[in-house]
Amino acid sequence: MSFTGKVALVTGGSRGIGYMISQGLLQAGARVYISARKAEPCRAAAAELSQYGECIALPGDVSDPDSRRQ
């Protein structure tokens, strides 16, 4: 399966199942954005995942309207 040329957004991508899904998508060729409530773990996970492809951190709480505006 190839996701080359595709873009994915994985909420909760900084740990657990979200992290593994992000890694799989990256290995399949997708550009992946990960979102998590805690900024530093989100950035750290994106840095680690970047060894598999382009991974960008989008820290923020999607349930908080102020956080979504940033």
Side-chain angles (χ1 to χ4, degrees), residues 61 64-70:
D61 184 350
D64 176 16
D66 290 332
S67 181
R68 289 192 308 256
R69 287 188 197 107
Q70 297 178 18

Side-chain angles (χ1 to χ4, degrees), residues 1-10 21-22 24-33 52-56:
M1 181 182 300
S2 174
F3 285 95
T4 302
K6 304 293 182 184
V7 177
L9 169 63
V10 180
I21 290 169
S22 299
L25 289 166
L26 287 162
Q27 289 174 319
R31 179 172 17 144
V32 176
Y33 291 82
Y52 303 106
E54 186 178 0
C55 185
I56 298 100

